[in-house]
Amino acid sequence: MRDDNCIFCKIICGDIPSRTIYEDADFKVILDASPASKGHALILPKEHCANVYEISEDLLAKAAKLAKKLAAHMSEVLACDGINLLQNNGEVAGQTVFHFHMHLIPRYKHMKNNDLLVWTHEEFTDEEQDQICGKLQMKE
Ligand code: 5GP
Ligand code: ZN
């Protein structure tokens, strides 16, 4: 299903051009137009779903498998020193395009913005951590 107002749906159907590095029945993988590093790529499921809450488990599992294959391929071809897999959900989490996508961000030891994705740490008391742990625990 496609959303006519979605920029990634337009890229997937070819209405907006992109640099495509991989395509199959379920996914198109493109270079990010505003890359955080050399080779920064985005895995786009062809079916429009906004985020991790909407994507089906099956499609998400396929995306994870593809991410693993691409990570190996990119690591070999780019000779990068590491790769971040990143996936944002919701504006507050940094999502700007509301069509599920997974970022593959190759990392290089001597990259100029190597503090990319480094966050500050919040302090919680042991009681607060116990409380949040209790709240989060879930059954299989
Ligand atoms: P988000 O912040 O939603 O996780 O990531 C959206 C990403 O899509 C950003 O890194 C942004 O640079 C990329 N992007 C936005 N519009 C376009 C576009 O038209 N073409 C391509 N190739 N990337 C885009
Ligand atoms: Zn879309």
Side-chain angles (χ1 to χ4, degrees):
M1 276 272 269
R2 159 189 172 149
D3 176 337
D4 287 338
N5 298 314
C6 170
I7 193 163
F8 284 174
C9 282
K10 288 179 186 161
I11 286 176
I12 287 158
C13 72
D15 285 355
I16 293 178
S18 64
R19 290 190 174 85
T20 302
I21 63 173
Y22 175 84
E23 187 161 10
D24 65 21
D26 296 313
F27 299 99
K28 191 160 184 167
V29 182
I30 63 170
L31 284 190
D32 196 296
S34 186
S37 71
K38 186 176 68 182
H40 180 172
L42 303 170
I43 297 178
L44 313 180
K46 289 189 170 176
E47 186 186 321
H48 179 89
C49 39
N51 49 40
V52 74
Y53 310 111
E54 285 188 9
I55 194 169
S56 71
E57 281 188 4
D58 280 355
L59 199 52
L60 182 58
K62 282 184 180 172
K65 277 189 172 180
L66 180 56
K68 181 170 170 59
K69 273 194 199 164
L70 283 163
H73 173 67
M74 288 166 81
S75 161
E76 192 184 319
V77 172
L78 298 169
C80 54
D81 302 301
I83 294 186
N84 290 107
L85 295 182
L86 177 72
Q87 198 273 309
N88 299 325
N89 299 284
E91 204 173 339
V92 72
Q95 188 174 11
T96 58
V97 178
F98 296 90
H99 177 128
F100 178 101
H101 52 281
M102 201 179 275
H103 295 258
L104 292 118
I105 307 177
R107 303 297 293 266
Y108 305 89
K109 278 183 189 150
H110 304 296
M111 218 164 103
K112 67 175 186 309
N113 59 342
N114 247 339
D115 57 356
L116 172 78
L117 305 177
V118 174
W119 53 81
T120 55
H121 298 271
E122 284 207 44
E123 295 281 343
F124 295 102
T125 63
D126 284 346
E127 289 72 29
E128 286 170 327
Q129 285 289 75
D130 287 346
Q131 202 182 20
I132 198 72
C133 182
K135 214 172 185 175
L136 285 175
Q137 279 169 346
M138 58 183 243
K139 303 235 184 307
E140 255 180 59

